[in-house]
């Protein structure tokens, strides 16, 4: 029904930057919330940042001031600009969307994940 394609994960040195992208496609009436989560083998999946259709954002405390989430509503795409990366940012990053396939009926979809590795 809805496909999420993520890109942008890579190996980068500490202090560097990356930009993740997640494009949604399919039978979409409206995308309400788009967000990024991350997970390591030792941790549960956690929220990194999320953005509503109106542009309101929330960030994990650990990334505030370093990461910026944005979205292109016309392209159904969400971005995560990650600056001043730290080794502890190393994780698989997942895109998540809350999508109305038809009015007032919301569904949750996840991307396949993209690996971000920050070397010290």
């Amino acid at each position: 029904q809805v496909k999420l394609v993520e890109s942008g994960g890579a190996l980068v040195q500490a202090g560097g930057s990356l930009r993740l992208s997640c494009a949604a496609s399919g039978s979409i009436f409206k995308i309400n919330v788009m967000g990024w989560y991350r997970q390591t083998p030792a941790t549960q999946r956690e929220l990194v940042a999320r953005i509503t259709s109106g542009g309101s954002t929330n960030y994990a405390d650990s990334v505030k001031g370093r990461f910026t989430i944005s979205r292109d509503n016309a392209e159904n795409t969400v971005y995560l600009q990650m600056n001043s990366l730290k080794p502890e940012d190393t994780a698989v990053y997942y895109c998540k969307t809350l999508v109305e396939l038809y009015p007032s009926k919301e569904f949750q979809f996840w991307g396949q994940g993209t690996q971000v590795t920050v070397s010290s």
Side-chain angles (χ1 to χ4, degrees):
Q1 292 169 318
V2 175
K3 182 178 180 181
L4 301 179
V5 178
E6 299 153 337
S7 61
L11 170 64
V12 65
Q13 288 188 333
S17 298
L18 284 176
R19 189 192 195 207
L20 305 183
S21 300
C22 173
S25 62
S27 300
I28 297 170
F29 173 73
K30 180 184 177 186
I31 299 180
N32 291 327
V33 181
M34 304 185 84
W36 291 95
Y37 290 70
R38 65 187 181 188
Q39 186 174 19
T40 72
T43 64
Q44 291 186 333
R45 196 170 296 187
E46 62 176 7
L47 173 69
V48 176
R50 61 193 293 271
I51 184 168
T52 69
S53 58
S56 297
T57 58
N58 297 98
Y59 294 92
D61 288 342
S62 59
V63 307
K64 283 180 181 177
R66 300 188 298 122
F67 291 10
T68 302
I69 190 170
S70 60
R71 63 188 281 177
D72 182 334
N73 290 329
E75 298 294 329
N76 289 337
T77 300
V78 63
Y79 304 97
L80 186 67
Q81 178 66 44
M82 304 187 294
N83 299 327
S84 302
L85 282 161
K86 304 175 181 180
E88 51 263 44
D89 294 318
T90 296
V92 177
Y93 284 70
Y94 295 91
C95 174
K96 173 185 167 181
T97 65
L98 296 178
V99 177
E100 290 182 34
L101 299 181
Y102 42 95
S104 301
K105 190 66 174 179
E106 190 174 78
F107 297 87
Q108 173 180 287
F109 295 94
W110 288 92
Q112 80 284 357
T114 185
Q115 177 70 48
V116 171
T117 303
V118 184
S119 63
S120 57

